[in-house]
Amino acid sequence: MKLMEELSLTPGISGFEEEIANIIKRELKDYADIIEEDNMGNVIATKKGDDDAPSIMLASHMDEIGLMVRYIDKEGFIKFSTIGGINDQMLMNQAVTIHSDKGNFIGVIGSKPPHITKASEKNKVIKAEDMFIDIGASSKEEACDMVSIGDPITFKSWFAEYPNDLFMGKALDNRVGCYVMIEVLKRINTRATVYGVGTVQEEVGLKGAKTSSYRLNPDMAIALDVTLSGDHPGIKPDEAPVKMGKGPTIVLVDASGRGIITPKKVRDLLINTGDEKGIDYQLEVSDGGTTDGTAIHLTKEGIPTGVLSVPTRYIHTPVSVANMKDVENTIKLIVEAINSL
């Protein structure tokens, strides 16, 4: 759990994944034959196999959603842009950290207080463009001595363990996937060549997956991510039937087929492995978002690709909740599947 906590709390919005990359390199230096970074910043850890054996790519995106300094007004308040899929309603009054070359600075997202909000405004969601960040500066000059345009901003959170194998933290989308990828490379015993890839900028267009998969061109790929867990109030069972504690999710279709439709040989590999080894799993057909798998499976002549996700509550917010048993079962399922190749 210590590594999961470190991955969660370490900052790394899209385009600023260096610290996460360093953790992956540190953890895999004694397990991979080659570790390198490409021009985009993707980390590729290669565990070489036999020449006549297949190759498989495990893709886990390193980036998290966040914000970026866009403008500093004359009073020293900061206007920001959102990076990744963020609902405006969850931004209000959040504590944030601005990561500057001059240090890390704490701020709070503010707007007009309810005491002076007009009746016509009270039931409206305040837009991000109408919010600001207060870092305690008294002027633009003072603020500019602290932060700069383009500085990345992360949500300030903490990591904690819950009962029933649950844990909460920032950026579980997709530091959970990074943890899974690291542990798989540590545990596999296979003739196949395995590429463990920490991809960049997934939240803003699956960018790192496109370039790294083009370079590697593996025989097969599995994107490791999280998925919406529908086991809490406000969600109908048919909207999100996946639940925490029931094992990883084997994605059959996402984005109603606009993303990935998992090919039969990859689907069968994962399902048969789960059945044969007695590892819990769930199946998912999703109308929602996509993963790195969408970019990978369309690379070059096409790469047979699957997606294995850990059910997680409250994704794309400042704090999420997942189940460590699901994480362990995800690792076991991939390890057994790869070892069988």
Side-chain angles (χ1 to χ4, degrees):
M1 192 67 81
K2 184 178 179 181
L3 176 58
M4 183 73 79
E5 178 177 1
E6 182 184 11
L7 286 166
S8 171
L9 295 178
T10 300
I13 74 165
S14 303
F16 296 84
E17 301 92 345
E18 296 87 354
E19 291 188 53
I20 303 301
N22 289 337
I23 295 173
I24 292 174
K25 288 187 285 187
R26 180 198 73 202
E27 289 294 315
L28 293 179
K29 64 183 177 62
D30 296 328
Y31 297 89
D33 297 298
I34 303 171
I35 299 179
E36 53 194 329
E37 284 190 39
D38 65 14
N39 292 334
M40 284 286 288
N42 298 301
V43 177
I44 303 172
T46 303
K47 203 164 187 177
K48 293 182 179 179
D50 297 342
D51 291 340
D52 60 343
S55 60
I56 182 167
M57 173 182 178
L58 303 178
S60 303
H61 74 85
M62 300 184 289
D63 58 321
E64 63 186 286
I65 59 169
L67 311 171
M68 182 174 287
V69 176
R70 177 171 56 82
Y71 178 77
I72 303 172
D73 73 14
K74 63 183 180 179
E75 282 82 26
F77 293 102
I78 293 166
K79 303 292 284 187
F80 58 86
S81 294
T82 58
I83 304 296
I86 295 175
N87 289 329
D88 291 349
Q89 64 189 23
M90 68 88 167
L91 289 171
M92 277 299 302
N93 305 119
Q94 293 292 335
V96 297
T97 302
I98 301 179
H99 304 276
S100 167
D101 289 341
K102 301 153 191 173
N104 293 333
F105 297 93
I106 304 302
V108 62
I109 299 175
S111 71
K112 185 190 297 185
H115 308 77
I116 57 173
T117 302
K118 296 178 181 178
S120 61
E121 299 173 327
K122 286 185 177 180
N123 294 323
K124 295 181 180 179
V125 174
I126 299 173
K127 296 181 180 180
E129 63 194 48
D130 296 322
M131 301 178 194
F132 55 83
I133 297 175
D134 182 348
I135 59 171
S138 60
S139 66
K140 181 171 184 176
E141 291 73 23
E142 187 176 352
C144 288
D145 285 338
M146 301 165 69
V147 302
S148 301
I149 305 300
D151 284 343
I153 305 168
T154 59
F155 299 106
K156 189 170 178 57
S157 183
W158 66 95
F159 188 93
E161 296 183 48
Y162 274 101
N164 302 309
D165 301 301
L166 305 185
F167 61 94
M168 57 161 280
K170 173 185 72 66
L172 299 190
D173 179 8
N174 182 41
R175 305 297 158 65
V176 167
C178 293
Y179 178 90
V180 169
M181 185 268 286
I182 290 169
E183 288 299 313
V184 169
L185 260 71
K186 289 179 178 180
R187 302 183 195 184
I188 51 173
N189 181 18
T190 177
R191 293 181 60 242
T193 291
V194 181
Y195 304 110
V197 184
T199 64
V200 299
Q201 301 187 45
E202 188 264 4
E203 298 289 5
V204 290
L206 317 178
K207 297 177 184 178
K210 294 176 183 177
T211 58
S212 58
S213 60
Y214 188 92
R215 173 184 178 179
L216 297 173
N217 196 25
D219 296 310
M220 181 184 296
I222 298 176
L224 306 173
D225 214 314
V226 297
T227 191
L228 176 66
S229 181
D231 55 353
H232 60 81
I235 300 180
K236 297 177 182 178
D238 64 310
E239 292 176 328
V242 170
K243 300 182 185 300
M244 290 198 306
K246 303 293 185 182
T249 297
I250 300 171
V251 176
L252 305 181
V253 174
D254 65 20
S256 298
R258 298 184 304 277
I260 195 169
I261 301 175
T262 304
K264 185 177 186 302
K265 69 176 182 179
V266 180
R267 183 176 70 236
D268 288 350
L269 172 66
L270 296 174
I271 290 174
N272 292 341
T273 299
D275 291 342
E276 292 170 6
K277 300 299 181 179
I279 302 170
D280 290 338
Y281 65 84
Q282 304 174 77
L283 300 177
E284 182 176 39
V285 173
S286 169
D287 295 333
T290 63
T291 70
D292 275 342
T294 294
I296 295 169
H297 88 284
L298 293 176
T299 298
K300 290 191 174 180
E301 296 90 352
I303 297 170
T305 303
V307 180
L308 201 57
S309 296
V310 175
T312 305
R313 295 174 183 162
Y314 326 124
I315 56 178
H316 279 228
T317 72
V319 62
S320 300
V321 176
N323 185 305
M324 199 63 191
K325 280 188 176 178
D326 290 336
V327 175
E328 282 297 322
N329 278 327
T330 304
I331 296 167
K332 290 176 183 177
L333 182 57
I334 302 172
V335 168
E336 294 290 351
I338 292 175
N339 286 350
S340 72
L341 291 176

